[in-house]
Amino acid sequence: MAESMVGLKRTHRCTEVSSANVGEKVTVMGWVQKRRNLGALIFVDLRDRSGLLQILFDENVIGKEGFDKAYTLRNEFVIAVEGTVNKRSGAVNENLKTGDIEVIAESLRILSESETPPFPIEENIPTKEDIRLKYRCLDLRRPDIQSNIIMRSQVATLTRAFLANEGFLEIETPMLTKSTPEGARDYLVPSRVHPGKFYALPQSPQLFKQMLMCSGYDRYMQIARCFRDEDLRADRQPEFTQIDMELSFVDVDDVIDVNERLLAHLFKEVLNVDVQLPIQRMTWQEAMDRFGSDKPDLRFGMELHDVSELVKNCGFGVFTSALENGGSVRGINAKGQGSMPRKKIDALVDFAKGYGAKGLAYIAINEDGTYKSSFAKFMTDEEMDALVKALDGEKGDLLLFAADRNKIVWNVLGALRVELADKMGLLDKNDYKFLWVTEFPQFEWSDEEERWVAMHHPFTMPMDEDLDKLESDPGAVRAKAYDIVLNGTEIGGGSVRIHQADIQSRMFKALGLTEETANEKFGFLLDAFKYGVPPHAGLAYGLDRLVMLMAKRDSIRDVIAFPKVKDASCLLTNAPDVVDEKQLKELSIDIAKEETEEKSEEN
Amino acid sequence: MAESMVGLKRTHRCTEVSSANVGEKVTVMGWVQKRRNLGALIFVDLRDRSGLLQILFDENVIGKEGFDKAYTLRNEFVIAVEGTVNKRSGAVNENLKTGDIEVIAESLRILSESETPPFPIEENIPTKEDIRLKYRCLDLRRPDIQSNIIMRSQVATLTRAFLANEGFLEIETPMLTKSTPEGARDYLVPSRVHPGKFYALPQSPQLFKQMLMCSGYDRYMQIARCFRDEDLRADRQPEFTQIDMELSFVDVDDVIDVNERLLAHLFKEVLNVDVQLPIQRMTWQEAMDRFGSDKPDLRFGMELHDVSELVKNCGFGVFTSALENGGSVRGINAKGQGSMPRKKIDALVDFAKGYGAKGLAYIAINEDGTYKSSFAKFMTDEEMDALVKALDGEKGDLLLFAADRNKIVWNVLGALRVELADKMGLLDKNDYKFLWVTEFPQFEWSDEEERWVAMHHPFTMPMDEDLDKLESDPGAVRAKAYDIVLNGTEIGGGSVRIHQADIQSRMFKALGLTEETANEKFGFLLDAFKYGVPPHAGLAYGLDRLVMLMAKRDSIRDVIAFPKVKDASCLLTNAPDVVDEKQLKELSIDIAKEETEEKSEEN
């Protein structure tokens, strides 16, 4: 029978009781973590958000009725205990904050009973994720997950306070709105009042925050929920959270400055980690050339080396034909991996193929200085030596080469580099390496659409010195765009926006957008731009990813209270679910039957 | 031609420049509020978020080119000015924070030009709201709206910091979820991955925050977007924002305590208003009896008086039949309104009818002590005198009476009281009168559903002393529910929740819910409740309404950056809008044509 807590008042959370309270009466409440009977005594570990506290039930103190009641306690029962704090007579538990004390119970109320939970409420339990997510209420009680959620709260609170202090205003933007130009698939919301029309859930507050700059709010911030109806990967959720900001009358350095101080503040306050400022900056071009990635992980080296010059006349057709097609040959040195068995090397080749490589050439440097290589027979000894030298190859190293179009070579070696580092144990989750990647290309060529598309978005400002190439050489135009990268993960990105009507119109032209299309897509922002636009720039962080890295987890699902799984469903609530016909009727929509019917007819 | 700000760095916002800076070089940027030519000088009022600053262009200082450029400036151009701060030679402008200084421009850049805005960027302009909302970007520049939005940001920031300091964790709950049991109409989001299934946007985070209590988070808060697809009134939006919180191991007084201190903190910090603590409390019954409202406006008296006893044997059938049907006769005294012309009294009668009254009886007390009354002829002189005395009637007063079922009498006189106070100028927006209304009825009888329905929600805890009436006399059960009322507006409400399985199951029975239905509606919370539930309670504020009152506005649209209008559309973005066939196909939905067709066929 569950009792009420009327008449009681909690005096302390579990770990707020300490040896300073010895002799005092306290009232504590929480969950039974464990009950042990020891002769005529019952010990209970009481758990709340703060941690554990030992409760001692002694029949001589609490009386027979209370003692018998304590005997019925099972894991996860919620109880209230009044008692006196006592210095532990037995051994001190060094693992507990309250390990030197206990509370000797004088009264006990069972506030709520519990069935046996499907898995123990402990750290790092090996329970399958789908069970954990179905019983998320219990999973969220586990100390490791709880500390993630608490850390997330801390990060949000610190971020808001820091930015408020820097003159940012928190302004809410609509959730029921129109498509934003991010280009991913929108979640739609049918309108009841306007049959046949739909709201879209925002992919980001991009247009609204630029509007707010036009309206003179100067500095905007919001921790904003965003939505993208894409197929999910490990680090994607249908709804995710951005720390979003926009600043007026600024250029790149101003945005970087405030954000470096924000990151340093967060890492100091939450993790007691000192972030060395200024954070290193690297152009996109350098990042690709050295690391094969626009989000290089700087916790380890293993840089890419362009060996095209060395092999342009060699006898290995894979290399020379890549060069003839305008590509390159590049390699990385996996230090000390020269004795990797053939099977594992083959696995790396398969891994590389997954990133678009046709193959992977390698040189293993034996301990006696000879080479084991997949392509030595096509090469002169001098050419082989030159390759080894170019990659600083030493005895015991494994050199891996890719040859293809630059984009593929970068992709392959960039991914391979991280894969190898992981296998080599080089990825220390306690080591935080930040990097700004700057000067992104303004455009990417889309083979599909046969036109230049914006790499960031169409409002991104080109670099001043590249403005004159907007028409003549779009591929060479660099943007005032920047990403902030942490340990190989992009945790945020942004850009300076175009505030000049003439440049904006040249940009739309370069993107092959007619004035009409541009107006249709971005109309209300372009309208706002007619009435005086300040220069402005912004940045948005993926809060989920940032907290995931801070909490040293591999999945953002571990830092989201109620996450969805890969098929975008929630195992806890069973959302999405069927709805009443009446609801659909009110919204003037039907569930399409054609497709299913067509398929049945075909069979 | 718009210029770039490259090479410039803003040194001050407009009103950050002061007489302390006289002689210093500054760089300021903002919008041209006004340009005046005065002989060989040009004066510009420069505006930014902080306010106005006067810029002086003197050809002798800036040179001909700069002067000519200044001559082209028009309202809302965005400019950057480098110059020197100067003590004003002319008259000091007492209305401006920067009224004793000016900046003598040495260089000028036009960062952005502007077309002529459709309305002036000034306070309290009489422009139609639909024009303002269409050009919201410009409307948001007006100082009064800007100060509302800034106040809202302040309120959010202060609330979060205060609650974090009180041990609350900010935890995000899902937006793509299942129906919550609020009972209003849901906004639905079709699932692409699960054809025929839908997410619902949350009406509140109610179930999730109770889950979080089950998971041991102890104190939760969130400033959460909520959605209700209802027909809109002046103070309703399809999406609105709650300051939402939930606490474990607490009873009513704990919730009230932390929230009183929160409110006092907000009003002190934002408005420099001292809220007298503790805030007055009143039971629901007293609020109805004295003010005819569960959200009484305490800025004025004009209380209701039950005169049923005095008239039960009178000759006025309207009174006696109301009493015979179990109703009551009550009156209010509109002090000093005795000389109200008949026409205006008739308008009041019509007003009362809008609230369900069949009529309104009145006594006007003439200056000579005689009465003018609609029903004197049915009454004895003694009865009339008794009524006047019961309402403390004095010469010049107007007494108004309603007779009907209690609910209607309360509604009518409650509304009339506020209507009269408004006309009598008793509603001072600078006077903040808070009130807790407590002990709400647990149930209301629904004629439509022929059953008791929960007045708050089915998880609300009955008062301990009323628990035994749950089956025998549901109508008499009072709930541990509380509303916080400010100046006649409910700004927040909440309750202690049921944490005992046996009481919850009696509650469902009282509501006529089978176990099956309850599981279907609230399944995942009830599942969570099997594993140890702490006593918990919560409260949620309507942030929009709270800020509206703090900003002394009549519409929440004035404190929302991008509000929607009555038909739930956004005049700025034109949301909702039609979407591509392709999008609908991916979502496996069609726009229903039947209804329209059926209607056409009928015609």
Side-chain angles (χ1 to χ4, degrees), chain A residues 523-534:
Chain A
F524 72 94
L525 183 61
L526 297 180
D527 280 347
F529 273 25
K530 289 177 187 158
Y531 299 102
V533 198

Side-chain angles (χ1 to χ4, degrees), chain A residues 1-3 5-6 9-10 13 29 31 49 76 78 111-116 137-138 140-141 146 149-150 152-153 160 167 169-170 172-178 185 187-192 194 196-199 208 211 213-219 222 225 227 229-231 239 241 249-250 254 464 480 499-500 502 524 528 530-535 562 564 567-568 572-573 575-577 584 586 588-592 594, chain B residues 1-3 5-6 9-10 13 29 31 49 76 78 111-116 137-138 140-141 146 149-150 152-153 160 167 169-170 172-178 185 187-190 192 194 197-199 208 211 213-219 222 225 227 229-231 239 241 249-251 254 464 480 499-500 502 524 528 530-535 562 564 567-568 572-573 575-577 579 584 586 588-592 594:
Chain A
M1 250 295 292
E3 298 175 83
M5 63 165 275
V6 169
K9 199 167 167 67
R10 179 172 65 169
R13 291 205 181 88
M29 305 186 187
W31 284 258
R49 181 176 101 184
E76 302 308 315
V78 180
L111 302 176
S112 174
E113 301 184 343
S114 170
E115 298 183 7
T116 304
C137 171
L138 298 173
L140 283 169
R141 289 184 189 174
Q146 213 161 68
I149 301 295
I150 291 171
R152 185 185 177 112
S153 170
R160 287 205 178 85
L169 299 170
E170 179 183 344
E172 294 179 72
T173 53
M175 291 278 165
L176 294 171
T177 181
K178 282 233 288 200
R185 210 183 277 112
Y187 278 104
L188 296 181
V189 182
S191 160
R192 177 177 55 87
H194 305 275
K197 294 191 173 181
F198 294 80
Y199 303 95
F208 289 104
M211 271 273 300
M213 295 303 100
C214 288
S215 295
Y217 286 84
D218 206 288
R219 293 188 164 205
Q222 188 181 197
R225 204 71 61 84
F227 304 84
D229 187 8
E230 291 183 288
D231 297 315
E239 52 181 310
T241 304
F249 302 113
V250 295
D254 304 282
D464 305 294
K480 288 194 178 182
H499 73 276
Q500 302 98 319
D502 56 331
F524 72 94
K530 289 177 187 158
Y531 299 102
V533 198
F562 303 104
K564 294 189 174 59
D567 70 351
L572 171 72
T573 61
D577 207 347
L584 299 184
E586 284 186 315
S588 305
I589 57 171
D590 288 329
I591 294 165
E594 298 92 291
Chain B
M1 250 293 296
E3 296 175 85
M5 62 164 277
V6 169
K9 200 168 167 64
R10 179 172 66 169
R13 290 204 181 89
M29 307 186 188
W31 285 258
R49 182 176 100 184
E76 302 310 312
V78 180
L111 302 176
S112 174
E113 300 184 343
S114 171
E115 297 183 6
T116 303
C137 171
L138 297 173
L140 283 169
R141 288 183 191 174
Q146 213 161 67
I149 301 293
I150 291 171
R152 183 183 180 115
S153 170
R160 286 204 179 86
L169 299 170
E170 178 183 347
E172 293 178 71
T173 54
M175 293 278 165
L176 294 172
T177 181
K178 281 231 291 199
R185 210 183 278 111
Y187 278 104
L188 297 180
V189 182
R192 176 178 55 86
H194 305 276
K197 294 192 172 179
F198 294 80
Y199 303 95
F208 289 104
M211 271 274 298
M213 295 303 101
C214 288
S215 296
Y217 286 84
D218 206 291
R219 294 188 163 204
Q222 189 182 196
R225 204 71 61 83
F227 304 84
D229 187 8
E230 292 185 287
D231 296 315
E239 52 181 308
T241 304
F249 302 114
V250 295
D251 208 332
D254 305 281
D464 305 295
K480 289 193 178 181
H499 73 276
Q500 303 99 319
D502 56 331
F524 73 94
K530 291 178 186 159
Y531 299 101
V533 198
F562 303 103
K564 294 188 175 60
D567 71 351
L572 171 71
T573 62
D577 206 348
V579 297
L584 299 183
E586 285 186 314
S588 306
I589 59 171
D590 289 329
I591 295 165
E594 297 90 294

Side-chain angles (χ1 to χ4, degrees), chain B residues 213-448:
Chain B
M213 295 303 101
C214 288
S215 296
Y217 286 84
D218 206 291
R219 294 188 163 204
Y220 143 94
M221 73 80 53
Q222 189 182 196
I223 299 191
R225 204 71 61 83
C226 304
F227 304 84
R228 287 182 199 181
D229 187 8
E230 292 185 287
D231 296 315
L232 300 182
R233 298 197 310 249
D235 60 346
R236 285 263 175 91
Q237 286 277 316
E239 52 181 308
F240 57 99
T241 304
Q242 285 186 349
I243 301 173
D244 193 38
M245 68 180 76
E246 193 81 10
L247 304 79
S248 289
F249 302 114
V250 295
D251 208 332
V252 178
D253 285 348
D254 305 281
V255 179
I256 284 186
D257 168 63
V258 71
N259 279 286
E260 290 192 345
R261 290 185 291 108
L262 169 62
L263 287 168
H265 180 65
L266 290 178
F267 276 72
K268 186 68 190 170
E269 293 295 317
V270 177
L271 299 172
N272 198 26
V273 163
D274 290 302
V275 178
Q276 204 63 40
L277 299 191
I279 288 170
Q280 186 181 345
R281 297 191 203 182
M282 195 179 282
T283 65
W284 179 87
Q285 190 63 54
E286 183 181 349
M288 298 310 285
D289 281 338
R290 290 177 54 193
F291 301 97
S293 168
D294 59 3
K295 39 179 192 282
D297 192 331
L298 297 191
R299 283 176 296 179
F300 62 99
M302 220 190 293
E303 296 193 16
L304 277 60
H305 296 268
D306 189 336
V307 296
S308 305
E309 273 302 310
L310 303 179
V311 300
K312 64 182 175 188
N313 300 316
C314 79
F316 188 31
V318 170
F319 285 179
T320 50
S321 71
L323 295 173
E324 279 154 22
N325 290 321
S328 59
V329 182
R330 299 169 201 246
I332 55 175
N333 180 350
K335 294 301 286 180
Q337 301 297 304
S339 56
M340 187 182 285
R342 180 61 194 254
K343 229 181 208 170
K344 288 202 172 168
I345 295 182
D346 286 346
L348 290 179
V349 175
D350 286 342
F351 177 88
K353 285 179 176 167
Y355 284 82
K358 291 194 232 16
L360 206 55
Y362 69 89
I363 305 174
I365 310 176
N366 298 320
E367 288 303 333
D368 62 3
T370 60
Y371 307 144
K372 191 169 61 189
S373 169
S374 57
F375 62 103
K377 55 185 166 190
F378 304 109
M379 309 289 283
T380 65
D381 287 351
E382 290 72 27
E383 284 168 339
M384 290 297 278
D385 288 344
L387 285 178
V388 170
K389 188 164 171 241
L391 271 64
D392 296 324
E394 295 175 313
K395 287 172 187 168
D397 288 354
L398 177 66
L399 315 183
L400 296 153
F401 299 90
D404 212 311
R405 286 187 295 139
N406 282 337
K407 207 175 155 182
I408 291 177
V409 172
W410 283 329
N411 265 350
V412 167
L413 294 183
L416 200 60
R417 180 179 167 269
V418 175
E419 172 74 6
L420 281 163
D422 189 20
K423 289 199 190 313
M424 291 160 69
L426 301 178
L427 304 180
D428 176 2
K429 284 199 165 76
N430 291 301
D431 183 18
Y432 292 102
K433 284 285 191 296
F434 288 91
L435 174 71
W436 289 104
V437 177
T438 62
E439 303 185 13
F440 276 75
Q442 182 83 39
F443 304 101
E444 296 180 290
W445 181 257
S446 164
D447 285 332
E448 193 185 330

Side-chain angles (χ1 to χ4, degrees), chain A residues 301-373:
Chain A
M302 217 189 296
E303 296 193 15
L304 276 60
H305 296 268
D306 189 336
V307 296
S308 304
E309 272 302 309
L310 302 179
V311 299
K312 65 181 173 188
N313 299 314
C314 77
F316 188 30
V318 170
F319 285 180
T320 50
S321 73
L323 295 174
E324 278 154 21
N325 290 322
S328 59
V329 181
R330 297 169 202 247
I332 57 175
N333 180 350
K335 294 302 287 179
Q337 301 298 302
S339 56
M340 188 182 282
R342 180 58 195 255
K343 230 182 205 167
K344 289 202 171 167
I345 295 182
D346 286 346
L348 290 181
V349 175
D350 285 344
F351 177 88
K353 285 178 177 169
Y355 285 82
K358 291 193 232 12
L360 205 56
Y362 70 88
I363 306 173
I365 310 176
N366 299 319
E367 288 302 329
D368 62 3
T370 61
Y371 307 145
K372 194 168 58 187
S373 168

Side-chain angles (χ1 to χ4, degrees), chain A residues 458-516:
Chain A
F459 301 102
T460 302
M461 182 72 188
M463 290 185 63
D464 305 294
E465 49 270 56
D466 292 350
L467 271 172
D468 55 0
K469 297 182 205 139
L470 215 42
E471 292 80 14
S472 58
D473 188 6
V477 176
R478 292 160 303 161
K480 288 194 178 182
Y482 33 78
D483 276 359
I484 176 76
V485 173
L486 173 57
N487 291 358
T489 298
E490 178 218 321
I491 56 170
S495 65
V496 175
R497 327 299 183 183
I498 300 171
H499 73 276
Q500 302 98 319
D502 56 331
I503 301 181
Q504 188 64 62
S505 126
R506 289 168 63 194
M507 182 60 60
F508 285 142
K509 255 187 217 132
L511 291 165
L513 289 178
T514 63
E515 205 172 314
E516 202 189 338

Side-chain angles (χ1 to χ4, degrees), chain A residues 5 46 146 178 295 376 415 421 431 582 592 600:
Chain A
M5 63 165 275
L46 187 70
Q146 213 161 68
K178 282 233 288 200
K295 40 179 191 285
D431 183 17
K582 178 167 168 277
S600 327

